[in-house]
Amino acid sequence: AQSVTQPDIHITVSEGASLELRCNYSYGATPYLFWYVQSPGQGLQLLLKYFSGDTLVQGIKGFEAEFKRSQSSFNLRKPSVHWSDAAEYFCAVGAYGATNKLIFGTGTLLAVQP
Amino acid sequence: NAGVMQNPRHLVRRRGQEARLRCSPMKGHSHVYWYRQLPEEGLKFMVYLQKENIIDESGMPKERFSAEFPKEGPSILRIQQVVRGDSAAYFCASSPRSLTGEAYGYTFGSGTRLTVV
């Protein structure tokens, strides 16, 4: 069965510091992988997605993620965090097929210190 | 071009009442997905619908929950006889087509936050 693990529940970084949020997935074939961001009381906004090809994916707001098949990981990175990046981040995996449903991780809550 | 529209944004119901949540997909999208987010959890898939068809309802509770996406009008998620445990944020998403990778990364609405008192 597909699953997604986000091992870090809370992360605090200083503004201007680099960021890496971890995501590990379990899936038998090449997965479709996504990162979403959710601000308090809001819906989810897609940051980036990986389907195939280049394993380093660029997204919006200066985020990028790297697909590593050998480690079953899809970690999200940003070289310099801004205070407005404080939010909850969700990694998700999707399976090609009839249902297109996404399996979400439990999320990582990012706090940014001034 | 409006995004996925959900209403109401907030809904309060007493135990035993019915809750009806509405979702209007993005223009041109014929596939709708409902997800539930319990407090301090990630989103869990509930149901996937196309116009007039339920494609996958594997995440729907067996009782009290139903969903529809009629030929005309929004998709409706209906919860009968609500209980405290139904309190959650319910998100709808839409996509233009299925069976392709491009259908993923679909757009979510802002959600309906249901509180059962």
Side-chain angles (χ1 to χ4, degrees):
Chain A
Q2 302 155 52
S3 66
V4 176
T5 302
Q6 293 181 248
D8 304 305
I9 298 175
H10 298 278
I11 283 186
T12 300
V13 299
S14 298
E15 191 167 14
S18 64
L19 171 70
E20 182 168 26
L21 302 182
R22 296 184 290 166
C23 173
N24 293 97
Y25 68 90
S26 173
Y27 183 59
T30 299
Y32 298 142
L33 294 161
F34 308 84
W35 275 100
Y36 283 87
V37 61
Q38 183 181 33
S39 298
Q42 300 298 312
L44 278 77
Q45 181 180 25
L46 179 67
L47 285 175
L48 47 78
K49 56 188 176 184
Y50 171 77
F51 291 159
S52 63
D54 193 346
T55 56
L56 185 62
V57 180
Q58 301 298 321
I60 62 171
K61 303 185 179 185
F63 285 92
E64 66 178 27
E66 186 171 11
F67 170 58
K68 292 186 177 180
R69 184 190 302 275
S70 61
Q71 298 177 18
S72 297
S73 70
F74 189 57
N75 294 349
L76 182 72
R77 301 193 295 247
K78 186 169 185 178
S80 178
V81 170
H82 188 263
W83 64 266
S84 60
D85 293 324
E88 189 150 25
Y89 292 79
F90 292 96
C91 181
V93 63
Y96 182 90
T99 65
N100 293 345
K101 64 185 177 187
L102 292 175
I103 309 297
F104 282 86
T106 51
T108 297
L109 186 61
L110 174 66
V112 179
Q113 286 180 335
Chain B
N1 183 19
V4 178
M5 303 301 292
Q6 289 188 250
N7 66 80
R9 288 293 302 274
H10 299 275
L11 182 62
V12 179
R13 284 287 177 266
R14 296 186 185 279
R15 279 177 293 171
Q17 290 184 320
E18 178 180 287
R20 292 171 72 90
L21 288 61
R22 295 174 186 77
C23 170
S24 296
M26 288 184 69
K27 188 175 181 180
H29 287 191
S30 57
H31 302 259
V32 165
Y33 314 79
W34 286 93
Y35 286 77
R36 177 165 65 174
Q37 185 179 31
L38 294 169
E40 311 214 348
E41 293 189 14
L43 275 72
K44 296 279 196 278
F45 170 80
M46 298 181 76
V47 62
Y48 165 38
L49 310 103
Q50 295 176 20
K51 288 275 186 182
E52 300 184 282
N53 280 308
I54 296 175
I55 306 303
D56 181 355
E57 56 182 347
S58 59
M60 288 276 273
K62 294 283 188 279
E63 297 176 351
R64 301 188 297 108
F65 284 72
S66 62
E68 63 177 8
F69 189 17
K71 187 176 180 180
E72 301 291 337
S75 176
I76 305 288
L77 179 67
R78 184 180 175 209
I79 311 172
Q80 295 178 289
Q81 300 176 316
V82 296
V83 301
R84 288 251 172 90
D86 297 332
S87 295
Y90 292 83
F91 290 95
C92 171
S94 71
S95 70
R97 59 192 184 278
S98 68
L99 300 183
T100 77
E102 287 304 312
Y104 278 115
Y106 31 69
T107 301
F108 282 87
S110 297
T112 294
R113 279 142 186 91
L114 172 66
T115 302
V116 179
V117 297

